[in-house]
Amino acid sequence: DVGVHASRTTFIAGNSAIGAARKAKDKILAVAAAKSGHAAEALELGGGCVVTKAGGERVFEVSKLIRSLHFSAKADLVMTTNYYEPPSTHQDKQFKGDVSAAYAWATQVCEIEVDTRTGIVRLLKVTGAHDVGRVLNRLGIEGQIEGGIVMGQGYALTEDLMVEESRVKNPNFRDYKLVTAPEIPEMDVSFIETRDGEGPQGAKGVGEAPAICIAAAVANAIYNATGVRMTSLPFTPERVYRALHGAAQPLVWNVPQ
């Protein structure tokens, strides 16, 4: 396909693998038919064996059948390739179309704490629900969504890329604050399985959704907590302080003695 990007790895590679597997299955059944005298259409795979569709009678063990091909003519080797291009409708002049074969959906709730004396915002907990089509690898998808939440946390609260006259003014991680382990919030994530029709085994991409939701949820949480609407990212202590106390107010840090 055109590349590994935009939450398409499992979707594209999974469908490609399924397509290749179906071709391999057809080749295995064709070889089994030639060796057994059965029609290929009358055979099926099940339980690691080639079996008859009608009665489930075992004809060959797949492992032994494949191994026998290794020592026979190379024409009998089961080798397949498959190309998968997801169906899509390109945008027209009115920018209307259907450019993706599947769409991800998610909702997230952020619980925060705002220090009105300093403008510091702490992200305490993120509760999320993600429509993932189908969970194929639970540990992997949990890690991906947790990583996306942390990425969104940095985008919302700390990561401020300052560019002036085409030059990056904060070229190191001292001036460009990345979220580290002590700042990561508690996370409670649920998966909604909808068995997407186009996805491999019903799965679909999940990469963008956890990162997209956080900034908006944090902005709404700040508004809910303080009554102040923040409209410029990231919500740094200085920006939050000025929004709370007025842009003309000097920064006054009430540090306890």
Side-chain angles (χ1 to χ4, degrees), residues 30-64:
V31 171
K35 288 180 174 292
S36 65
H38 291 85
E41 296 77 17
L43 298 176
E44 185 58 274
L45 296 179
C49 296
V50 176
V51 299
T52 58
K53 284 184 178 180
E57 177 187 354
R58 181 183 296 186
V59 180
F60 294 109
E61 287 187 25
V62 173
S63 59
K64 291 182 178 179

Side-chain angles (χ1 to χ4, degrees), residues 7 40 60 75 105 108 133 135 158 247:
S7 292
F60 294 109
W105 310 95
Q108 290 176 340
V135 176
T158 66

Side-chain angles (χ1 to χ4, degrees), residues 43-125:
L43 298 176
E44 185 58 274
L45 296 179
C49 296
V50 176
V51 299
T52 58
K53 284 184 178 180
E57 177 187 354
R58 181 183 296 186
V59 180
F60 294 109
E61 287 187 25
V62 173
S63 59
K64 291 182 178 179
L65 177 64
I66 296 298
R67 185 169 180 82
S68 71
L69 299 181
H70 179 76
F71 299 102
S72 65
K74 290 188 179 297
D76 288 337
L77 290 177
V78 176
M79 300 173 62
T80 66
T81 61
N82 188 66
Y83 178 93
Y84 174 76
E85 178 66 33
S88 61
T89 303
H90 293 296
Q91 291 179 343
D92 58 21
K93 292 182 178 180
Q94 284 73 45
F95 302 103
K96 294 180 180 180
D98 191 3
V99 298
S100 183
Y103 294 88
W105 310 95
T107 186
Q108 290 176 340
V109 176
C110 290
E111 298 176 40
I112 66 167
E113 180 181 87
V114 181
D115 188 332
T116 56
R117 299 170 303 168
T118 64
I120 294 174
V121 178
R122 292 182 59 228
L123 182 56
L124 304 178
K125 183 177 180 179

Side-chain angles (χ1 to χ4, degrees), residues 14-251:
N15 275 323
S16 297
I18 289 173
R22 286 171 177 161
K23 291 179 181 179
K25 174 184 175 181
D26 290 342
K27 288 188 176 183
I28 291 171
L29 294 182
V31 171
K35 288 180 174 292
S36 65
H38 291 85
E41 296 77 17
L43 298 176
E44 185 58 274
L45 296 179
C49 296
V50 176
V51 299
T52 58
K53 284 184 178 180
E57 177 187 354
R58 181 183 296 186
V59 180
F60 294 109
E61 287 187 25
V62 173
S63 59
K64 291 182 178 179
L65 177 64
I66 296 298
R67 185 169 180 82
S68 71
L69 299 181
H70 179 76
F71 299 102
S72 65
K74 290 188 179 297
D76 288 337
L77 290 177
V78 176
M79 300 173 62
T80 66
T81 61
N82 188 66
Y83 178 93
Y84 174 76
E85 178 66 33
S88 61
T89 303
H90 293 296
Q91 291 179 343
D92 58 21
K93 292 182 178 180
Q94 284 73 45
F95 302 103
K96 294 180 180 180
D98 191 3
V99 298
S100 183
Y103 294 88
W105 310 95
T107 186
Q108 290 176 340
V109 176
C110 290
E111 298 176 40
I112 66 167
E113 180 181 87
V114 181
D115 188 332
T116 56
R117 299 170 303 168
T118 64
I120 294 174
V121 178
R122 292 182 59 228
L123 182 56
L124 304 178
K125 183 177 180 179
V126 175
T127 303
H130 289 255
D131 174 4
V132 299
R134 182 184 180 186
V135 176
L136 299 181
N137 179 333
R138 188 172 187 88
L139 183 62
I141 202 170
E142 286 176 352
Q144 187 168 15
I145 290 180
E146 289 171 359
I149 289 173
V150 175
M151 181 183 292
Q153 179 184 0
Y155 178 60
L157 295 174
T158 66
E159 298 182 39
D160 189 8
L161 182 63
M162 296 180 289
V163 180
E164 184 178 309
E165 296 181 351
S166 301
R167 293 187 177 183
V168 177
K169 305 298 289 185
N170 48 351
N172 57 62
F173 292 134
R174 181 186 61 189
D175 303 315
Y176 181 87
K177 169 61 178 168
L178 288 173
V179 175
T180 56
E183 298 143 333
I184 293 175
E186 178 186 352
M187 301 180 196
D188 182 5
V189 178
S190 300
F191 301 119
I192 311 301
E193 294 189 287
T194 54
R195 301 299 179 99
D196 185 84
E198 183 65 25
Q201 304 298 327
K204 57 184 176 181
V206 299
E208 280 79 10
I212 290 172
C213 300
I214 295 295
V218 170
N220 287 333
I222 293 173
Y223 177 76
N224 181 261
T226 67
V228 172
R229 176 64 71 187
M230 301 292 299
T231 59
S232 181
L233 291 169
F235 309 132
T236 60
E238 179 176 350
R239 285 178 177 166
V240 175
Y241 181 93
R242 291 189 184 281
L244 291 172
H245 300 283
Q249 293 290 329
L251 293 177

